[in-house]
Amino acid sequence: MLGRNTRWFVGALAVVCLLVVGRGAPDDGPAAGPLRADSVKHVVPNRVMTWNICNPCRESNADRAAEIAAYAPQVIGLQEACVRDVEQLRDYLKTRHGLVYHVEYGSVLRNRGRCGGWPWNPGGFGQALLSAAPMTDRVLVEYPDGGSEDRGYLAVTTRVGDRSVRVFNTHLAQRRQEAVRAGQTAVLAAAVGRYDRAVVLGDFNAVPDTPELDSFRELAADADPGCRPSPAGRCEPTTDWDSKFDYVFLRGITPLRHRVHPTAYSDHHMLLADLRT
């Protein structure tokens, strides 16, 4: 029988061995350890962003998260968003960059080709909203006519800066479907028009001078004041094919500045706007 001192020595040796093995174990991913103090960030108040992240483009969600973290918007609207991709983005934003976001999903389509999954359980595809503040009063509307693919808008109430704002996120019908987009913007405009203060984010699949945007422009202004549907307008492209398809529209809110950030991780650029709320 082992004596008390021998048993104590064996137990202590086992603990030491576990510590040594633990230190040598491989890193298990972004959640494997605490953040370094220099990697903790804070969102930028009053900053909103819209980004069509492109699915299925097989891009790295870690890289996409790093792109977002570089600007740390308070509110983010994503289009062509697969639920599992957004889950990974939130995880990377939190564990690698110290940015914590709430999420609401606006999936209007379950599509294995877009988002993977099993044939009987394909992934959800559509819009997503990330906000540093909690979101309430979520509404998901699928447009009566989506065109060649189901489309819709997601709306929530959250805080931009320190004020409550209604935020919309949409993705309109693909190119060469002008009549369909005109019907979609009419549905969206009717919803936005019920609020005195609103931010509308999204991929409208339309350049600024297309008629389907006319009714919408009557109630919300482009965050880029120099971008107008006229020969004098100067609109910075938001896509790889040198067209402006992505917008931040504002109702009852004044823009301070905007920025288009080209990225290698989508065929759309990131569009950011700082607001005076």
Side-chain angles (χ1 to χ4, degrees):
M1 180 179 295
L2 293 173
R4 179 180 301 174
N5 290 340
T6 303
R7 289 196 301 270
W8 180 90
F9 175 79
V10 171
L13 182 61
V15 171
V16 171
C17 291
L18 286 172
L19 290 173
V20 171
V21 172
R23 288 185 186 134
D27 182 43
D28 203 19
L35 285 165
R36 300 189 313 271
D38 62 354
S39 63
V40 176
K41 297 187 64 173
H42 300 283
V43 298
V44 179
N46 299 307
R47 177 170 293 170
V48 301
M49 185 188 86
T50 183
W51 190 17
N52 181 321
I53 59 175
C54 184
N55 273 306
C57 288
R58 314 302 182 199
E59 298 291 349
S60 163
N61 286 318
D63 291 332
R64 285 170 168 166
E67 294 279 85
I68 294 171
Y71 296 96
Q74 188 177 12
V75 175
I76 304 165
L78 301 175
Q79 303 87 42
E80 295 197 22
C82 296
V83 171
R84 58 173 53 88
D85 284 327
V86 177
E87 290 173 344
Q88 290 181 359
L89 282 170
R90 287 183 71 214
D91 186 53
Y92 285 128
L93 286 166
K94 179 179 179 180
T95 58
R96 293 190 175 183
H97 305 285
L99 294 169
V100 179
Y101 289 99
H102 301 268
V103 65
E104 290 289 352
Y105 294 101
S107 299
V108 294
L109 183 66
R110 301 193 68 82
N111 188 294
R112 186 167 181 261
R114 287 280 196 177
C115 298
W118 297 103
W120 56 88
N121 187 26
F125 174 82
Q127 291 75 245
L129 278 167
L130 306 180
S131 176
M135 291 175 276
T136 60
D137 304 318
R138 171 187 176 273
V139 172
L140 174 60
V141 172
E142 187 172 338
Y143 294 124
D145 184 359
S148 56
E149 184 177 76
D150 294 345
R151 295 291 164 91
Y153 74 79
L154 171 66
V156 303
T157 298
T158 189
R159 301 193 77 79
V160 177
D162 60 357
R163 298 189 62 183
S164 177
V165 177
R166 192 67 172 168
V167 178
F168 295 78
N169 183 18
T170 192
H171 187 191
L172 301 189
Q174 295 171 352
R175 288 178 287 181
R176 296 181 295 277
Q177 299 180 71
E178 293 84 355
V180 174
R181 287 197 300 273
Q184 294 171 348
T185 54
V187 171
L188 181 61
V192 174
R194 293 196 287 268
Y195 296 89
D196 295 329
R197 292 165 41 80
V199 174
V200 184
L201 311 169
D203 173 5
F204 281 67
N205 268 318
V207 295
D209 60 354
T210 51
E212 62 261 34
L213 295 184
D214 288 347
S215 62
F216 196 78
R217 288 185 179 278
E218 295 175 2
L219 59 93
D222 196 317
D224 176 3
C227 182
R228 300 186 300 276
S230 70
R234 299 180 60 184
C235 304
E236 191 170 358
T238 64
T239 66
D240 286 351
W241 50 94
D242 295 327
S243 295
K244 177 179 170 71
F245 276 7
D246 305 274
Y247 296 85
V248 175
F249 284 115
L250 305 173
R251 179 171 170 83
I253 299 172
T254 304
L256 292 174
R257 64 191 65 85
H258 77 283
R259 177 183 302 172
V260 176
H261 173 63
T263 170
Y265 305 110
S266 175
D267 55 357
H268 286 250
H269 307 334
M270 299 164 63
L271 175 60
L272 301 106
D274 293 344
L275 314 177
R276 181 182 289 114
T277 57

